[in-house]
Amino acid sequence: MAERFDIVVAGAGHNSLVATAYLAKAGYRCLVLEGRPILGGGVKSAELTLRGFIHDVCSSAHNGIHGNPLLRDNELKLGDYGLEYIYPDPVFHMPFPDGTYLTQWRDLDRTCAEFAKFSKKDGEAYRRMITEYEVVKPLLNANTFTPVGFGKPLNDRLNEVPHGKLWQRRLAMSAWEILRDTFEDDHCRAFMTGCPYSLQPLQDPMTGRVAYIPLHQQRESRPLPKGGSGALTDSLTRFIEAHNGVLLPNKWVKQLIVENGKCTGVECEDGSSYRAEKAVLSTIHIKQLVDMAPRDFWGQDFIDGVDTWEAGLTLFATNYAMKEPPKYAVEGGVLSPVHSGMMASADRALRMSVDYLNGDINLESPPLHVICCSLADPSRAPAGMHTVKVVSYQPYSLKEGPLHWDAMKQKVSDANLKYLQKFSPNLTDDKVLARTIESPLDLERMNPHNWHGSCHAGASSASQSGPLRPMLGWAQHRMPIPGLYQTGATTHPGGSVTGGPGRNAATVMLKDFGTTIEDVVNKA
C-alpha cells in the first residue's frame, strides 16, 4: 500500500479505538486494522438470534468508563458522534431461594432500607461503607486512569487522606474478609458478592477493591449505550474518521515488521502490509503477540512473563430472543429490572473458585447474571419483544479438556434457564423465540483476545496487577521492541469497559512524541 501512516493499530477493540482517537485528535495519521468484519472487539452489538433483536456481543453495562476523563470530562465530546447513555433504575435485583429479595435502587435511602429488611445493622453498614468509599474513590479513579509510573503511586495518594493507612490495609485484604466483617446477614453478603460476580476469587488477597464494586453502580447505575454496547465503539470510529483516520475490517494481522531493531509496521494474512512512520499500537493478546516477531527481540524476562500468564475466570452466556422480559415477584406486584442475578448464598460464591480450579461444571444453584437491555432501550427488539442474556460462571479447562464444552453447552444452557424460571416463572419455554449459546471455548473461538475463554484478557490476581501487568518492567504500554506499544485488558487489571488502557496508552505515546494528553484535549 503506497499510502503511509504515522501510526498503525493492530486490532479494533474499544481500548485501541480510544487510544487512536486521542492520537488522531493530536494530528497523527492513524490506520486501524481489524481481523473481523465488525470493529469493536468485545464492545459491539449484532443480531445474534433473529432479525431486529440487537444483542451485545460481550459487554453490556459500561460502569468503569464513566470515571474515565474520556467521559467524565467529556474530553472527546463523543456525544457529538452519536454516543448516548441510559441509566436504569432499579440498578440490580436479586431474588433468593427462600422467597425474599434485595433490590439496589439509585436512591441510597431506598437501597439501605432493602438491606435493613434482613438486618438493621447491615442497612447502616451499607450506608457507612459507601460514605467511606466515596472519600477515596477519586484517588482510586486517578490511579486507574494514570499510567504506571506517571504521577504518585496509590499508597502515596492514600497517605494524604484521613484513614488512608486503613485503606491501604483494606486494598491488600481479600474481598471476602471485608464483606464478611461488614455484613452479618447472609442475604446481604450474597448480594454483595453477586451483583454481579466480579470474576475474581473472593478469597484471594489483594482483591479488597472488589468488595466496593457494588457501590459504583449505586450512584452511577449500570449505564447502557443507547442502541447497544457497540454505540461506544461506533462513536469512536466516527471520531477517528472525522480526524483523518482510516479503519479497515477483515485484516488479520499475522506478523510484526521489525527493521533495524524497531517495529515499523505489520503484515496481514491476505498478504498486505502497512508501514508506520512513528509507532505500531497493538491490542493483540500477548500470548499471540510474542509469536509475531522472532523471540530474540522480546528478551527472556518478557517471554517468561508471557509463559506464566494466567487467563483467569471465565463466562458462559446464552442470548435469547424472548416474548417477555423476566418478571420477579415483589411486594405489591412484580418487578422487571434490566439487571438481575441469582447468588443463593455467600458460600456459593466462595465455592465457585474451587469449581474453576477443579475444572468442574457445577449446576447446583448456578450463580447467574440476567440482562434485559430492551426494557430500558426498546430499540433493541421488535415491539413487545425482548433480548435476554443469561450469564453464568464456568471454567474453560474442564477435567475432560476444553473441547468437552461442545458436548456439554446445551445441557448447561438448559439448566441455567430452568434455574432462572424458578424465580421468573413467566419465562416458560414457549416464550423463547431463539437462542445462541457461547461456552468459554466458544468465546475464545469468537475472539482470539479471549484467550482460554477470558473476556477480561487475563486474571486480575496480585501477580498480574499494577506494575506486574503484563509483566514487571513493561507496564507502561511500551513493549520490548522499540516502536511497539500495547493496549487492551492485558495491560490493565479487571478488563471490562473502562477505556483506561486506551487512554493510558495514548498518554504514554503522546509523551514519547513530545506532547501531553492534556495539550491534545485542549487543542481546538
Side-chain angles (χ1 to χ4, degrees):
M1 185 175 182
E3 192 174 10
R4 293 181 71 89
F5 296 88
D6 295 310
I7 298 162
V8 172
V9 183
H14 85 283
N15 281 299
S16 52
L17 293 176
V18 167
T20 303
Y22 283 103
L23 295 165
K25 181 173 172 58
Y28 296 106
R29 178 89 160 123
C30 299
L31 169 67
V32 180
L33 304 171
E34 168 57 42
R36 283 156 297 170
I38 303 175
L39 280 66
V43 185
K44 60 189 176 193
S45 307
E47 294 177 326
L48 299 179
T49 54
L50 298 174
R51 187 180 181 91
F53 289 83
I54 308 301
H55 301 271
D56 295 329
V57 173
C58 187
S59 67
S60 287
H62 292 186
N63 292 67
I65 199 169
H66 286 264
N68 188 329
L70 168 70
L71 294 190
R72 186 192 68 207
D73 301 334
N74 199 24
E75 289 183 336
L76 300 183
K77 298 179 174 55
L78 293 181
D80 295 345
Y81 298 87
L83 182 61
E84 180 182 350
Y85 276 94
I86 300 168
Y87 302 87
D89 197 23
V91 180
F92 203 97
H93 176 76
M94 183 175 290
F96 297 107
D98 63 4
T100 60
Y101 61 88
L102 200 161
T103 309
Q104 184 182 42
W105 302 87
R106 296 192 70 187
D107 183 292
L108 177 60
D109 291 339
R110 195 172 183 184
T111 301
C112 290
E114 289 285 310
F115 279 83
K117 291 188 308 186
F118 300 99
S119 162
K120 181 179 178 180
K121 177 183 175 183
D122 285 357
E124 295 169 349
Y126 185 84
R127 186 185 301 276
R128 182 174 62 254
M129 191 178 190
I130 193 169
T131 301
E132 293 175 352
Y133 174 68
E134 289 184 339
V135 173
V136 301
K137 181 180 175 182
L139 303 182
L140 297 176
N141 273 345
N143 184 72
T144 297
F145 300 111
T146 302
V148 170
F150 287 55
K152 294 182 179 179
L154 179 57
N155 284 345
D156 289 351
R157 296 177 190 265
L158 290 171
N159 281 335
E160 298 172 359
V161 300
H163 309 297
K165 289 183 172 56
L166 174 59
W167 274 101
Q168 293 180 49
R169 170 64 62 82
R170 285 173 172 164
L171 297 177
M173 295 169 66
S174 71
W176 172 242
E177 288 172 317
I178 293 172
L179 296 176
R180 177 200 63 199
D181 296 343
T182 301
F183 300 98
E184 64 178 9
D185 185 86
D186 191 68
H187 299 83
C188 300
R189 290 174 174 173
F191 182 89
M192 294 296 288
T193 64
C195 66
Y197 183 65
S198 68
L199 287 180
Q200 292 189 58
L202 301 174
Q203 308 96 313
D204 284 4
M206 306 294 290
T207 57
R209 191 172 179 179
V210 170
Y212 297 87
I213 287 178
L215 308 183
H216 274 281
Q217 61 193 46
Q218 171 63 59
R219 298 294 196 191
E220 301 169 359
S221 185
R222 297 184 59 81
L224 306 174
K226 188 174 182 180
S229 188
L232 170 62
T233 46
D234 288 345
S235 70
L236 288 165
T237 59
R238 294 187 192 105
F239 183 98
I240 293 166
E241 290 173 333
H243 289 77
N244 204 32
V246 177
L247 303 105
L248 299 180
N250 298 309
K251 287 287 185 179
W252 283 104
V253 173
K254 71 171 184 179
Q255 187 171 328
L256 302 174
I257 299 173
V258 182
E259 298 172 318
N260 298 319
K262 181 181 179 181
C263 186
T264 58
V266 301
E267 295 182 5
C268 298
E269 287 188 351
D270 64 3
S272 59
S273 62
Y274 302 89
R275 300 297 179 117
E277 297 282 357
K278 295 192 72 68
V280 172
L281 174 64
S282 162
T283 189
I284 299 166
H285 198 289
I286 57 170
K287 285 285 190 177
Q288 287 101 33
L289 185 66
V290 293
D291 293 326
M292 294 185 177
R295 293 219 159 192
D296 291 347
F297 286 115
W298 300 104
Q300 193 58 47
D301 284 348
F302 191 87
I303 296 297
D304 289 343
V306 173
D307 289 344
T308 55
W309 184 263
E310 295 291 336
L313 308 189
T314 48
L315 299 173
F316 181 104
T318 306
N319 285 289
Y320 292 94
M322 287 270 196
K323 294 181 180 179
E324 292 186 9
K327 296 179 181 180
Y328 302 104
V330 296
E331 184 178 356
V334 296
L335 183 68
S336 288
V338 171
H339 288 274
S340 54
M342 292 85 219
M343 185 66 77
S345 64
D347 179 68
R348 185 66 185 85
L350 296 175
R351 285 191 290 120
M352 272 201 290
S353 60
V354 179
D355 295 339
Y356 279 100
L357 290 171
N358 290 337
D360 289 331
I361 296 175
N362 193 331
L363 299 180
E364 177 191 352
S365 57
L368 301 178
H369 180 194
V370 183
I371 310 164
C372 186
C373 295
S374 53
L375 282 163
D377 184 0
S379 72
R380 306 270 193 115
M385 304 296 177
H386 291 275
T387 61
V388 178
K389 186 173 189 175
V390 179
V391 177
S392 64
Y393 310 92
Q394 299 287 356
Y396 170 88
S397 298
L398 301 180
K399 288 180 177 178
E400 302 86 349
L403 291 177
H404 189 57
W405 269 119
D406 290 335
M408 292 298 300
K409 65 182 183 180
Q410 185 86 30
K411 178 180 179 180
V412 174
S413 179
D414 291 344
N416 289 342
L417 178 60
K418 184 176 181 181
Y419 190 66
L420 171 59
Q421 289 168 337
K422 291 182 179 181
F423 302 94
S424 180
N426 68 298
L427 294 181
T428 50
D429 292 350
D430 62 301
K431 303 295 172 56
V432 176
L433 299 172
R435 70 173 170 177
T436 61
I437 305 172
E438 295 164 351
S439 71
L441 178 62
D442 292 324
L443 293 175
E444 182 179 51
R445 289 166 170 163
M446 177 179 69
N447 184 349
H449 198 71
N450 295 335
W451 182 74
H452 281 199
S454 171
C455 61
H456 288 176
S460 298
S461 58
S463 63
Q464 293 186 182
S465 295
L468 294 171
R469 193 174 185 97
M471 63 277 303
L472 189 63
W474 303 105
Q476 291 186 335
H477 303 276
R478 306 179 183 101
M479 291 288 95
I481 303 175
L484 178 65
Y485 295 81
Q486 179 77 355
T487 188
T490 54
T491 61
H492 187 281
S496 195
V497 184
T498 70
R503 189 180 184 276
N504 289 349
T507 299
V508 174
M509 295 176 73
L510 289 166
K511 180 183 178 182
D512 289 352
F513 299 162
T515 186
T516 67
I517 199 166
E518 291 77 17
D519 288 342
V520 171
V521 168
N522 294 327
K523 179 181 176 181

